[in-house]
Amino acid sequence: MASADSLDILVVTFNCGRKLIRPEILARHLSNAIPDVSGPDIIVLSLQEIAPVAYSFLGGSYLVRYFFQFHHAVRQASKAFGGAKYVNIVTRNVGMTACMVFVQEGQKSRIQWVQTAGVGAGVQGMGNKGAVGVKLGYAATGVPLELAFVAAHLAPMEDALDRRNEDWMNIVRGLVFAPANKKGSLSTTPPPGSTEDSEPLLSDASSNASNRPRGIYAPTSHLILAGDLNYRTSTTLPQPLDHLAFPKPTSSTTDPQHYSHLLRNDQLAREITAGRTCHSLREAPIDFPPTYKYSSKAQSHAETQDMTAEWGWAKHRWPSWCDRILFLDLPPWTKEDTPGADIKVVGYTALPLMPTSDHRPVALRLRVPLKAIPAPEDGEGNEDVRLHPPFEIDPRWRERRVAARRKEVVVGLLAYLFLTWEGNGILLALVLGMLGGWAVVRSQLDV
């Protein structure tokens, strides 16, 4: 919980595998990840593959039950830390990627404004891959503290390294924050699943937020990125016998199969160092095994198998740390103005395997100084990424998203008709109706 000088934030990223989660299991894992009876002030859920493509692309009521499972999980988990109650202030999705932000009920009055953003990075700019952003103003002394959360899902496969870097570039260029639609006061009920419109449960105090569209890098804002970034530990698929050398549970770092040896091949760390992705973002030290890809057998035994005894890897993918959470450090002008100010990482870990996904969720808990980042004075921090983002905002970002959204609706409708039981029923009824109509017409012609 927030102290007089810091804000307590829990960020969780999870690739849901297009399935409904079991909230009681996630709630238990969240409770164990938060060894604090007071609980965090803010909980942020970065969700990928939230639902099948038909429901994700159509959005609206088709996503209500998927989002409700996470509401239920947070509500159950909150019982473990002093009975704190949480309200969902915003839920936003673009296609299959979503971001949900919860705040403690007693803290909701401190949320001054909310802005959202969304960009697709999949085929034709659609949302099978992409990112969702939520930026909010949290009341601090004087000017509100700006917090930007980005939920992302980048291109898969071992050999798609360049495509992942390109996806990141398109996110920086196309994820543009604009004031959220006014929706009235906060509510504890789940919002409807959204598609292109944000669904904040808080009216936007636009007078306190910039009305000028801004990207994810901004001079006065924090930035936290969470998602299935899909960076792997190899650029090629495993050979038939490579799985014999996959990591296994062992406490000895000298064991060739200790996960630390595979971590040295992590693409993300290498690409960040080279300045090709996630520019200037930091990550806490990784001291947990790869989060992907677990076998179907491992998933089916997720609730009974002791993962300290065995990790059940899928043999056709290199185990990798696909699921990551990174953050932007305080700018130099803030550190100069407030000596000793820092973002404190409380914990960074992988949660246990869920029975509905081949990914493990990852959680980061951190404390952010409860003081707004001031705008730099002339000459301060000239090299800081907040002032000089790696890529310029795409001037056509809005029209590209609108065009992609139209395609998502078409693809969603086709997927609904051909890939869901409900859609198959509609098609069958149409076919039977047409055949019946033809039979009636035929009988009349034969008279």
Side-chain angles (χ1 to χ4, degrees):
M1 187 172 181
S3 64
D5 57 0
S6 67
L7 186 67
D8 193 345
I9 302 173
L10 173 69
V11 183
V12 178
T13 181
F14 182 41
N15 185 314
C16 308
R18 310 186 188 193
K19 299 176 184 176
L20 284 168
I21 67 160
R22 291 174 56 182
E24 72 281 3
I25 298 176
L26 181 60
R28 184 169 67 251
H29 296 337
L30 287 175
S31 301
N32 293 335
I34 307 173
D36 185 341
V37 294
S38 62
D41 300 296
I42 299 176
I43 298 176
V44 180
L45 302 182
S46 167
L47 308 173
Q48 310 85 45
E49 298 193 9
I50 181 70
V53 65
Y55 304 145
S56 296
F57 278 15
L58 292 176
S61 60
Y62 293 101
L63 289 178
V64 169
R65 60 179 180 151
Y66 291 90
F67 287 129
F68 182 79
Q69 299 296 87
F70 288 97
H71 279 265
H72 189 37
V74 171
R75 185 165 58 247
Q76 281 193 296
S78 66
K79 297 176 182 178
F81 25 90
K85 294 183 179 179
Y86 288 85
V87 291
N88 177 215
I89 61 168
V90 63
T91 291
R92 170 76 190 266
N93 80 291
V94 169
M96 304 176 77
T97 304
C99 185
M100 304 179 74
V101 180
F102 299 81
V103 299
Q104 281 203 29
E105 192 171 38
Q107 303 281 337
K108 65 182 181 181
S109 62
R110 303 188 71 170
I111 306 299
Q112 303 293 293
W113 48 263
V114 176
Q115 296 179 336
T116 62
V119 62
V123 179
Q124 297 291 307
M126 289 188 288
N128 54 309
K129 297 292 186 289
V132 175
V134 173
K135 180 177 284 192
L136 56 87
Y138 186 93
T141 303
V143 180
L145 172 67
E146 290 186 39
L147 301 162
F149 303 102
V150 174
H153 193 186
L154 309 186
M157 303 302 293
E158 276 81 352
D159 61 354
L161 174 60
D162 291 340
R163 178 59 191 275
R164 283 187 278 279
N165 291 347
E166 182 181 347
D167 285 350
W168 169 251
M169 177 186 70
N170 290 331
I171 287 170
V172 175
R173 298 195 69 211
L175 197 63
V176 182
F177 291 96
N181 295 336
K182 295 183 179 181
K183 297 289 181 178
S185 59
L186 285 163
S187 167
T188 57
T189 58
S194 61
T195 53
E196 226 19 56
D197 292 329
S198 62
E199 296 291 342
L201 301 182
L202 179 75
S203 59
D204 172 45
S206 300
S207 60
N208 293 328
S210 172
N211 288 316
R212 179 175 58 84
R214 301 170 74 180
I216 62 175
Y217 290 102
T220 58
S221 179
H222 289 279
L223 172 60
I224 299 174
L225 169 70
D228 178 2
L229 304 185
N230 253 325
Y231 285 91
R232 308 299 176 92
T233 54
S234 175
T235 56
T236 60
L237 294 173
Q239 296 300 308
L241 298 180
D242 282 344
H243 68 92
L244 298 175
F246 284 180
K248 66 179 183 180
T250 175
S251 59
S252 174
T253 56
T254 60
D255 189 322
Q257 288 185 272
H258 189 275
Y259 66 78
S260 60
H261 298 284
L262 187 62
L263 183 59
R264 296 169 185 168
N265 300 329
D266 176 52
Q267 293 177 346
L268 179 58
R270 184 176 70 241
E271 295 301 295
I272 291 176
T273 300
R276 291 189 285 262
T277 192
C278 300
H279 299 77
S280 297
L281 295 180
R282 283 180 50 197
E283 183 176 25
I286 292 176
D287 60 0
F288 49 85
T291 61
Y292 174 87
K293 173 180 173 77
Y294 290 86
S295 67
S296 298
K297 180 180 178 181
Q299 295 172 56
S300 64
H301 293 87
E303 284 301 283
T304 58
Q305 183 173 326
D306 181 6
M307 293 197 67
T308 62
E310 180 183 359
W311 295 328
W313 304 114
K315 297 178 181 179
H316 63 292
R317 293 284 185 271
W318 279 100
S320 298
W321 288 263
C322 291
D323 309 275
R324 313 286 275 269
I325 306 175
L326 300 90
F327 59 94
L328 192 59
D329 201 0
L330 294 174
W333 59 87
T334 293
K335 291 186 175 182
E336 292 171 3
D337 181 61
T338 311
D342 200 5
I343 296 174
K344 180 182 179 182
V345 173
V346 179
Y348 186 42
T349 187
L351 305 184
L353 184 66
M354 298 275 288
T356 53
S357 176
D358 52 8
H359 291 252
R360 288 175 65 174
V362 170
L364 170 70
R365 189 165 183 181
L366 71 170
R367 292 193 173 98
V368 174
L370 193 53
K371 181 180 180 181
I373 297 175
E377 296 181 1
D378 291 342
E380 284 188 320
N382 284 334
E383 302 302 318
D384 192 83
V385 72
R386 287 177 169 86
L387 303 180
H388 303 284
F391 311 106
E392 296 292 331
I393 290 177
D394 182 357
R396 299 177 58 199
W397 66 271
R398 192 186 299 275
E399 63 180 275
R400 292 186 194 278
R401 182 84 285 269
V402 171
R405 178 64 195 138
R406 294 194 186 104
K407 297 171 187 175
E408 289 169 0
V409 172
V410 173
V411 172
L413 285 171
L414 292 173
Y416 182 79
L417 290 174
F418 291 100
L419 300 178
T420 69
W421 288 107
E422 309 100 297
N424 291 168
I426 292 173
L427 283 178
L428 179 61
L430 287 173
V431 170
L432 293 177
M434 293 173 63
L435 291 175
W438 171 247
V440 170
V441 172
R442 183 75 177 271
S443 66
Q444 293 298 318
L445 293 175
D446 291 340
V447 173

